[in-house]
Amino acid sequence: MELAVRHQTTYRYATPANQVSLLLRLYPGQLDCQQIRSWEVTVNGTPVTEFPLNAFGDGEGFYHRRGAFSEMEIVASGTVATQERHGIVSGFTQEVPLPLFLRQTQLTQPDAAIHALARSLAEPEPIPRLHALSARVREAIAYEGGATTTATSAAEALALGRGVCQDHTHLFVSAARSLGIPARYVSGYLLADEAGHALRETHAWAEAWVDGLGWIGFDATNGLCVTELYVRLCAGLDAHDAAPVRGSVYGTTEIGIQADVMISLAAPSGSQQVQQQQ
Amino acid sequence: MSFFEMHDPEGSVRDCYAEVQRWIDDTGVAGLHRRLEEAEAIFRRIGITFAVYGEGGDPERLIPFDLLPRIFSRMEWQRLDQGIRQRAQALNAFLYDVYHRGEILRAGLIPQELVYQNQAFRPEMIGFDPPGRVYSHIVGIDIVRTGPDRFEVLEDNCRTPSGVSYMLENREIMTRMFPDLFSRGRVTPVDNYPAQLLRTLKEVAPPACKGDPVVVLLTPGSLNSAYYEHSYLADLMGIELVEPVDLFVEDGRVWKKTTAGPRAVDVIYRRIDDDYLDPLAFRPDSLLGVPGLFHAYRSGGVTLCSAPGAGIADDKAIYVYVPEMIRFYLGEEPILANIPTWQCGTKDGLAYVLEHLSELVAKEVHGSGGYGMLIGPKSTAAEIATYAERIRANPGGFIAQPTLDLSTVPTLGEAGVVRRHADFRPYCLVGKRMRLVAGGLTRVALTEGSLVVNSSQGGGVKDTWVLRD
């Protein structure tokens, strides 16, 4: 499947900023499940070149500018060919030590409730067990936008019982790690959710390590393993670690961020193009 | 009875202290006290202070100085010198290894989780080759003496060990006040340390550097407890002292803002914790730091000394394995011994420690500066019970060691020479080659019988001599 992506993030400042630095993890990797046909990241129209792969094997770019400007427009766009590989994510060029992904962070630190949830999984085999975990996560945290923030931890989201994909993913990796299963947080794009609705924002899911198979992508929010509808940007220990855009601004305050993701089938020429945007 | 470094077992003055003994006899106790007052007046005038965290009071308190030098013979130093270099080399080899293939973990010599799940291990450093493969450019090793021939390592400091300014100042003041003691040239000088440090820093210039490397010292600012040392060292090296706000990153390089326009910086001797180096790379909630600094480093535009993540080598849970590192990477036997250490994170260790806490010294794995430790024999039953609860709540966060019979050094007391416990911190420099100034910082517990030498806990400092013959 060929997916065309345009991901735009716009920052607006109260007064013109005099120094802006951006760390951009907006470069999907070349993997067995996805090949990059074309890709470009720009900030206010200027292309941002990619650094060597970071420690997690993901692409990164860095943008810095001094001067006076009241708006930053970050655009990542291109075409990615994806394959259905039953959730298996492979083809990484960089080896990261697995035990690293057992490390909990402030956002994933399990409390008694998370330990209990993890221990309640009866399935002895790894894959059914992870599927069961994914289902339990979805049951425990009802999808509700705006109930949590980017600073909400897995334990807090579980206690609240409401949240979004970030919270599902934090809870999934927290519980998996507490069971001794290496797990990581992944940021990326999804063509459409289970109901067929187009997503207008970045998505998050988890990858868990299964011996003999490798990394497997679990999207607890949608209750399935990753498919050819997913484009993977980057991974980390938690949402902070895998944030597609991190910024640092001097001399002003932010008055608004607007993110917009448009993802559609970039069908080969001649065939019909399915426009997911409304 | 602790080993008193001034005397041999028969109670006579050892050769290396003979001259100092004569000086003490000639000057007399009253005379020494007069000279000490003079020394303190000079220190106050120069303004050497060491702010103490968490104690309130005067942040610019003068650290007590003791007039009587601590002396090592040439033979003693030779062994220390070899042992310190060996350790600094092994620690750097370990750092390279854990950020690459992790051979020592694969070999099963160190438990993987102790490294990879440790907050001091920085995943961002995986696969990166710092210039010269050096991570810790200044290794401060805390050593105690427990007998005439026995030196043991208390802990390693691989990040940004402080205190070297006292080594330099203490010597400076001693030579200024007592030129006669140094006139025969028997005491090895230490005043070449700043030049050697600068040479070391220049040796690890990044690939992007063309010509003579520009080195700066990065300080968190004047509120930092070691700010005096930062400005003092920058001054002695003739380099600029900068704060994060003075630097910015552009085109993959680090620039210092100057009135004449931006000037490229090649090497940063940073005295700032990893967390506050770069808000984009490490702590998104931090307002401190230089955005993009870490990426400039990783892409070869600047060198950070020490490397981010160097702290994994001096973690107290890793300390236990340094002798294994020396055997594994260097194929040598450790010259300096480790202190036997029980890890509360292990089942056996926890059981032993809880049972023997009244005899042990217990410490937090991630603590430093003598805070949050328990000295069993000097604590009340209630203090021990409270501490045991803390250990039970988080066993992996604690280690314990036997109470050591630390040596004592001659110290000026009210009525004459008294014996006080001391430790020793030399500073080993690691660039393309290793450099070690013959000396270091001797910290002394000024209270009789006290084993805590930290300046934050009422310890003092004294000059340290290494004799040439």
Side-chain angles (χ1 to χ4, degrees), chain B residues 158-417:
Chain B
C158 295
R159 306 169 209 211
T160 53
S162 61
V164 78
S165 56
Y166 292 113
M167 170 184 88
L168 298 168
E169 291 279 18
N170 294 345
R171 177 62 57 82
E172 165 86 25
I173 210 145
M174 288 295 284
T175 46
R176 207 197 289 189
M177 292 185 60
F178 310 107
D180 292 353
L181 287 175
F182 297 89
S183 60
R184 291 206 293 126
R186 285 187 73 203
V187 182
T188 318
V190 294
D191 60 0
N192 54 342
Y193 178 84
Q196 297 211 358
L197 174 57
L198 184 59
R199 204 168 300 148
T200 300
L201 295 168
K202 285 187 174 183
E203 278 178 1
V204 293
C209 170
K210 305 280 176 273
D212 189 29
V214 175
V215 183
V216 298
L217 194 155
L218 179 62
T219 175
S222 59
L223 296 177
N224 185 270
S225 70
Y227 183 73
Y228 171 79
E229 176 161 298
H230 305 164
S231 66
Y232 179 75
L233 284 177
D235 193 37
L236 288 177
M237 287 192 279
I239 64 172
E240 287 196 71
L241 180 67
V242 299
E243 294 183 28
V245 67
D246 300 322
L247 302 177
F248 67 92
V249 175
E250 203 161 75
D251 300 328
R253 299 229 53 196
V254 177
W255 307 85
K256 184 191 174 306
K257 299 168 191 165
T258 75
T259 47
R263 182 179 181 222
V265 170
D266 299 302
V267 180
I268 299 177
Y269 173 33
R270 51 97 172 204
R271 298 286 300 253
I272 286 185
D273 288 348
D274 286 0
D275 273 350
Y276 303 104
L277 274 177
D278 178 352
L280 290 183
F282 298 117
R283 278 269 294 259
D285 55 334
S286 163
L287 293 172
L288 300 171
V290 184
L293 182 58
F294 182 71
H295 286 79
Y297 173 58
R298 241 192 109 110
S299 58
V302 72
T303 301
L304 297 174
C305 302
S306 58
I312 185 65
D314 67 23
D315 189 85
K316 289 192 184 74
I318 295 295
Y319 157 86
V320 186
Y321 300 96
V322 178
E324 280 304 323
M325 290 178 201
I326 293 170
R327 291 183 194 105
F328 186 76
Y329 298 115
L330 312 180
E332 299 170 5
E333 276 305 305
I335 296 166
L336 298 174
N338 252 27
I339 294 163
T341 303
W342 289 278
Q343 295 165 285
C344 303
T346 67
K347 202 163 157 263
D348 295 351
L350 179 64
Y352 182 89
V353 170
L354 290 177
E355 198 171 319
H356 297 86
L357 201 50
S358 62
E359 306 152 27
L360 300 172
V361 176
K363 300 177 189 175
E364 289 176 36
V365 170
H366 302 300
S368 69
Y371 291 111
M373 64 191 274
L374 176 94
I375 301 179
K378 307 221 179 254
S379 304
T380 64
E383 283 166 345
I384 291 170
T386 309
Y387 207 88
E389 276 315 304
R390 291 184 57 206
I391 296 177
R392 276 194 203 96
N394 176 26
F398 292 87
I399 57 161
Q401 296 170 332
T403 325
L404 295 171
D405 193 14
L406 295 195
S407 65
T408 55
V409 294
T411 303
L412 184 60
E414 285 302 319
V417 175

Side-chain angles (χ1 to χ4, degrees), chain A residues 166-180:
Chain A
Q166 167 173 319
D167 306 299
H168 292 138
T169 305
H170 277 154
L171 180 55
F172 183 97
V173 299
S174 171
R177 288 171 190 165
S178 81
L179 294 170

